[in-house]
Amino acid sequence: MKFYNESFFKRDIGSLKGVGEKTIQAFSKLGIFTFEDLIKFYPRSYEDWTSFSSIASAEDKKDCCLKVKIVNECIGIKLKDGRWLFKIKVSDGLDNLNMIFFNSRYPARNLVLGKEYLIKGKVVKHNGEYEMLSPKVKGLENEFSITPIYNQCEEIVSSKISRIIKNLINCIDEPILETLPDSVLENYGLDSKDFCYRNIHFPKDILSLKRARKRIIFEEFFIYYLSMSSLKVKFRQKTNVVISESFFEEFCEIIPFKLTESQKKVILECFKDINEKGLSMNRLLQGDVGSGKTLVAAALMYAAVKNGYQAALMVPTELLARQHYKTFCSLLSGTGVKINIICGALRAKARKALYEEILLIKSGIIIGTHSLISEGIQFGNLGLIITDEQHRFGVKQRAKLISKGKAPHVLIMSATPIPRTLAMILYEDLDVSILEGVIPGRQKIKTYRIDSTKRSRMFGFLQKTVLRNEQAYIVCASIEERNNGIIDLVSYKELLIKSGGFKAEEIEILHGKMSPYEKDYIMNEFLNNNIKVLISTTVIEVGIDVPNATVMVIENAERFGLSQLHQLRGRVGRGNKQSYCILVSDSNSKDAIRRFSAMKDSCDGFYLSEEDLQIRGPGDFFGVNQHGVPNIKMSTTFQDIPVIQAAHDCAKKLIENDPFLQSPEFKFIRSEVNELSNGSSELNFKVEGVVF
Ligand code: ADP
Ligand code: MG
């Protein structure tokens, strides 16, 4: 890469001592091909052999390090089941402890009576004696070391990875070339690249490790910000698409509600953005569940069409596409606005006709799923793009849709409030509008947690709900398997029918494996109040809007993250009636209980997202397991936010003074930034499932 010696780090790992064909194969499974990949393969965790406990004080603490002397030869004992147990007595000068190994004498083979060793494991008491099962043992020559633990795979274990990385680092006999400008290092108290790459793998001590992590995290996010900022420039193109605000008033007269102040404010923000600068809009709209984002989209799309453009709405599921289609058809009926829907489930002939129409007509609304970006579709005159529930789409998909228009304006809507700190990181390339406040007449959703013994009482409550002519959702974690104590949809329906309070035809189940037609049919029946209780998987999580539904029951609630619970709860409380959310769970896990009480305390998505971040840490976003953020290789936790923040501030300041990083001191980072932003098709935040 651009440090030490470019060609050195570009070399294949095969040219390293001790790396043969087999190891090359194994490394390729871990995504490691070059010296650079290898040195950036940071440890997953570390074993600390630098601080010791006494045997007695270590009892029941996990993974302790002890300094002990061997006081008895190894004894082998044959167990009843035929296995062998090997026992070696050691002492820390105060107490004795038995190291126990099963089946193999191997780990104990070289231990010398009377000699001192470091051992690591969990100390427990067994029949009055201290014991450590299968401890790790090291000679004293390894004293005071912190050993790296790497993500391993079947073909290569952590210790071997460690040895090879050590070989590599030993080869680097001069300091690794610095890439960050001195001013940045100084201002943010960062250590040299050389120090950090060595100490992240083989830390001299805990402090050195901390310092190495700090710089690496800083640098990764610094480069990331800089590339996202350059993307922002790319997404904001010069455009001739003008969408006049004059149709806004007309829109307000058509719709059956009065827009809230916040909805108006956001819509006007968008118009301003669209018309003032001659650049395309590239904006994120964040609004909590039920805050009324659809109307914001409708207002802008209506204006776009009236100005003679096509406006596309891209949503993550067919269910949602169909719902929006219906909403738009009824909102805009009689206005002459043409509305089309594109879904996966279309016959070839119908599809062809539809594609032709979309190419030929110059104005109209087109609603669809990912199919909107499929190769075959060409738009005649695409001026506005809105995506709903943006977190399901990546930058790549957005870019693809944008490329189908002539510098169209883009609004991304997300119902997943994310903490400000993370918003800045995830959406660096966007301007942000926030839809705040509550729609008039809405009541706080009352939220309760019960355990499964109270389920039959809860059924009574559901029955009363139905008698009031209101409806309920029940969310289960599983479709059909009945394992791990998780209730499935089918047996839940039986349970509910057996409870005696419901007619079978009032209850339906809904899940993602059904055909679009079935799903659509059932949702429609629910919307028309022919189905009273809908038992479902999380397919209903995103965007579904049935204002007459007032109860949301979430079974096995411990299985869901806080943000997801909040999203699910957001399916009720959409009308003016009092709504309820009942979390059913037998879990006593500390985190689960914390999530439940946060849910009870608050219905505010922004507050809950902060809580969620505290409980889980942001590691899930940027960690090594997140496909999508190519240069973030270090996993981060909540404690790292200040460093991430500092990197952001630094990048921002830097760009203000030197937008194209032309100063010579940015030579190295400039090429890294270009590399990353040119490969932007891979910058894809796919934060699916539990997270935001
Ligand atoms: P979300 O932000 O979750 O997408 P929706 O746009 O689906 O929320 O709106 C939630 C519900 O509130 C819908 O039934 C919608 O018709 C209704 N709604 C939206 N704006 C208003 C308003 N200004 N006055 C009354 N009801 C509104
Ligand atoms: Mg919505």
Side-chain angles (χ1 to χ4, degrees):
M1 194 70 176
K2 289 102 215 153
F3 49 86
Y4 183 51
N5 170 332
E6 188 165 338
S7 56
F8 176 81
F9 277 102
K10 285 272 183 259
R11 277 196 213 165
D12 286 345
I13 45 166
S15 57
L16 195 64
K17 208 173 72 190
V19 176
E21 209 38 56
K22 257 194 169 160
T23 314
I24 294 178
Q25 284 287 325
F27 270 135
S28 74
K29 293 231 164 107
L30 296 169
I32 300 171
F33 303 94
T34 62
F35 287 3
E36 182 190 355
D37 297 334
L38 193 58
I39 205 157
K40 288 188 170 175
F41 193 68
Y42 304 128
R44 168 170 58 85
S45 60
Y46 300 84
E47 260 176 18
D48 183 3
W49 295 80
T50 62
S51 47
F52 319 120
S53 325
S54 66
I55 293 175
S57 72
E59 187 184 345
D60 283 336
K61 294 207 185 99
K62 67 171 201 222
D63 219 25
C64 291
C65 186
L66 309 172
K67 189 171 172 182
V68 294
K69 189 186 257 179
I70 311 271
V71 294
N72 259 342
E73 293 275 7
C74 181
I75 323 170
I77 302 166
K78 187 153 193 193
L79 300 174
K80 278 189 204 131
D81 61 7
R83 287 189 306 163
W84 280 87
L85 176 155
F86 297 95
K87 200 169 174 180
I88 304 164
K89 186 163 277 177
V90 298
S91 160
D92 66 354
L94 297 168
D95 295 283
N96 289 341
L97 172 143
N98 296 317
M99 299 200 292
I100 309 279
F101 300 97
F102 282 105
N103 277 333
S104 167
R105 190 188 282 273
Y106 184 76
R109 73 201 183 288
N110 288 327
L111 303 182
V112 179
L113 191 64
K115 207 176 153 185
E116 277 191 306
Y117 293 91
L118 298 178
I119 66 172
K120 206 170 172 57
K122 189 174 158 104
V123 177
V124 290
K125 227 170 190 168
H126 186 234
N127 294 336
E129 293 191 16
Y130 289 114
E131 227 175 61
M132 194 181 271
L133 274 186
S134 315
K136 292 185 176 157
V137 183
K138 284 187 174 197
L140 275 199
E141 65 279 9
N142 293 301
E143 204 171 352
F144 305 124
S145 74
I146 297 171
T147 8
I149 309 289
Y150 296 92
N151 274 332
Q152 49 190 22
C153 63
E154 230 169 80
E155 292 82 2
I156 189 164
V157 295
S158 169
S159 55
K160 177 150 191 206
I161 298 174
S162 165
R163 261 201 318 280
I164 293 171
I165 293 183
K166 190 152 218 163
N167 278 349
L168 173 67
I169 288 182
N170 287 342
C171 289
I172 306 175
D173 49 6
E174 358 173 339
I176 295 171
L177 188 71
E178 185 53 60
T179 51
L180 290 179
D182 287 347
S183 56
V184 171
L185 295 180
E186 264 161 46
N187 290 342
Y188 293 89
L190 304 174
D191 288 284
S192 74
K193 193 154 202 155
D194 187 69
F195 174 89
C196 295
Y197 277 158
R198 293 174 198 272
N199 276 281
I200 200 68
H201 293 287
F202 306 103
K204 197 161 84 11
D205 47 36
I206 293 283
L207 186 64
S208 304
L209 173 59
K210 281 193 178 147
R211 286 167 45 181
R213 275 195 85 233
K214 178 179 169 188
R215 182 216 152 106
I216 291 172
I217 292 171
F218 184 99
E219 186 171 4
E220 287 184 342
F221 280 93
F222 180 66
I223 301 288
Y224 173 69
Y225 287 131
L226 292 174
S227 14
M228 289 305 263
S229 305
S230 73
L231 273 183
K232 186 171 183 166
V233 178
K234 276 188 208 158
F235 277 137
R236 295 211 64 163
Q237 322 165 43
K238 276 215 174 68
T239 184
N240 298 322
V241 179
V242 176
I243 301 174
S244 147
E245 195 183 307
S246 59
F247 293 96
F248 181 37
E249 229 169 85
E250 206 175 289
F251 175 81
C252 293
E253 277 157 27
I254 301 165
I255 55 168
F257 325 100
K258 201 166 165 296
L259 290 177
T260 65
E261 283 311 309
S262 187
Q263 281 170 324
K264 276 191 213 156
K265 180 175 147 267
V266 167
I267 293 167
L268 293 176
E269 253 168 33
C270 293
F271 277 123
K272 199 167 160 215
D273 205 356
I274 288 172
N275 296 319
E276 257 187 13
K277 300 176 190 147
L279 291 174
S280 60
M281 172 170 76
N282 187 37
R283 183 168 287 274
L284 169 70
L285 171 60
Q286 275 206 70
D288 208 345
V289 271
S291 60
K293 292 183 291 298
T294 315
L295 278 187
V296 173
L300 295 170
M301 293 175 91
Y302 178 76
V305 174
K306 287 287 168 178
N307 277 276
Y309 293 101
Q310 287 176 316
L313 178 63
M314 182 157 80
V315 301
T317 64
E318 280 198 39
L319 215 58
L320 203 51
R322 286 173 208 278
Q323 177 187 293
H324 277 328
Y325 178 70
K326 275 178 207 138
T327 308
F328 276 68
C329 285
S330 80
L331 270 181
L332 304 181
S333 70
T335 61
V337 172
K338 173 99 185 127
I339 306 172
N340 269 313
I341 176 166
I342 301 186
C343 279
L346 258 186
R347 281 177 203 286
K349 208 168 161 194
R351 182 187 304 267
K352 192 159 169 259
L354 189 55
Y355 282 15
E356 260 167 29
E357 187 177 338
I358 289 169
L359 178 63
L360 293 176
I361 56 163
K362 293 295 172 224
S363 78
I365 288 177
I366 301 122
I367 298 173
T369 56
H370 293 83
S371 40
L372 281 179
I373 50 176
S374 56
E375 292 303 327
I377 295 194
Q378 279 182 300
F379 292 87
N381 191 23
L382 184 58
L384 173 68
I385 292 169
I386 299 186
T387 66
D388 197 9
E389 308 297 343
Q390 127 81 16
H391 62 298
R392 305 271 164 142
F393 299 114
V395 177
K396 187 177 177 177
Q397 283 142 322
R398 197 178 350 137
K400 199 152 182 193
L401 190 51
I402 291 174
S403 72
K404 291 188 183 278
K406 295 182 187 109
H409 298 285
V410 179
L411 180 71
I412 288 146
M413 306 200 294
S414 172
T416 46
I418 60 173
R420 205 149 305 169
T421 27
L422 283 178
M424 290 193 318
I425 297 162
L426 282 170
Y427 300 120
E428 176 56 29
D429 66 319
L430 297 167
D431 300 309
V432 180
S433 287
I434 292 178
L435 195 54
E436 287 163 315
V438 193
I439 293 170
R442 293 290 147 83
Q443 302 181 44
K444 188 165 182 277
I445 303 166
K446 292 192 175 152
T447 303
Y448 305 94
R449 181 253 166 116
I450 60 169
D451 59 39
S452 58
T453 60
K454 304 257 166 51
R455 194 177 280 127
S456 55
R457 266 181 67 185
M458 185 262 288
F459 285 170
F461 180 74
L462 285 181
Q463 205 181 326
K464 281 191 206 132
T465 306
V466 172
L467 286 176
R468 279 199 308 275
N469 199 26
E470 293 168 22
Q471 292 160 277
Y473 296 100
I474 299 173
V475 171
C476 296
S478 163
I479 302 175
E480 52 202 4
E481 313 123 70
R482 187 205 296 256
N483 50 20
N484 311 332
I486 295 167
I487 298 199
D488 63 277
L489 302 187
V490 180
S491 40
Y492 206 97
K493 183 174 173 183
E494 285 162 18
L495 211 64
L496 208 53
I497 292 171
K498 263 194 224 137
S499 78
F502 303 90
K503 297 183 208 105
E505 66 271 19
E506 291 175 338
I507 309 169
E508 246 329 321
I509 58 182
L510 179 75
H511 56 78
K513 288 193 182 150
M514 290 175 159
S515 73
Y517 173 78
E518 271 178 302
K519 279 191 275 191
D520 197 33
Y521 177 79
I522 289 170
M523 262 335 281
N524 221 0
E525 286 291 286
F526 189 63
L527 185 61
N528 294 333
N529 201 0
N530 296 330
I531 296 169
K532 304 293 178 183
V533 181
L534 187 64
I535 309 172
S536 162
T537 56
T538 53
V539 282
I540 55 129
E541 176 193 348
V542 173
I544 298 301
D545 186 40
V546 181
N548 191 49
T550 57
V551 178
M552 165 61 70
V553 176
I554 304 172
E555 286 284 347
N556 291 103
E558 74 281 356
R559 309 246 310 173
F560 300 96
L562 189 46
S563 293
Q564 203 179 9
L565 289 174
H566 178 64
Q567 282 285 320
L568 288 169
R569 177 170 62 183
R571 298 303 119 221
V572 299
R574 298 186 147 243
N576 294 340
K577 297 174 205 122
Q578 177 62 55
S579 292
Y580 303 87
C581 174
I582 301 166
L583 308 170
V584 188
S585 173
D586 292 332
S587 168
N588 286 319
S589 110
K590 220 172 75 205
D591 278 358
I593 288 171
R594 211 170 140 189
R595 290 198 293 269
F596 300 155
S597 64
M599 283 285 288
K600 277 190 269 183
D601 289 349
S602 174
C603 285
D604 175 348
F606 282 93
Y607 166 80
L608 291 174
S609 71
E610 295 281 356
E611 272 292 302
D612 201 16
L613 185 65
Q614 299 251 6
I615 297 173
R616 293 185 305 116
D620 300 87
F621 280 94
F622 310 113
V624 276
N625 298 327
Q626 271 305 314
H627 31 145
V629 195
N631 75 320
I632 311 281
K633 308 241 190 274
M634 181 73 89
S635 55
T636 44
T637 72
F638 191 61
Q639 277 74 29
D640 297 317
I641 290 223
V643 181
I644 298 177
Q645 184 87 56
H648 183 252
D649 294 346
C650 176
K652 231 185 173 134
K653 268 190 217 142
L654 206 143
I655 292 197
E656 267 163 29
N657 296 326
D658 186 355
F660 300 102
L661 305 174
Q662 279 165 335
S663 151
E665 57 171 354
F666 302 141
K667 188 173 119 200
F668 297 114
I669 50 177
R670 191 173 56 232
S671 54
E672 282 187 58
V673 165
N674 285 343
E675 204 169 283
L676 193 61
S677 51
N678 289 338
S680 66
S681 58
E682 298 309 316
L683 280 181
N684 186 0
F685 275 110
K686 211 166 158 211
V687 191
E688 212 137 357
V690 209
V691 276
F692 300 102

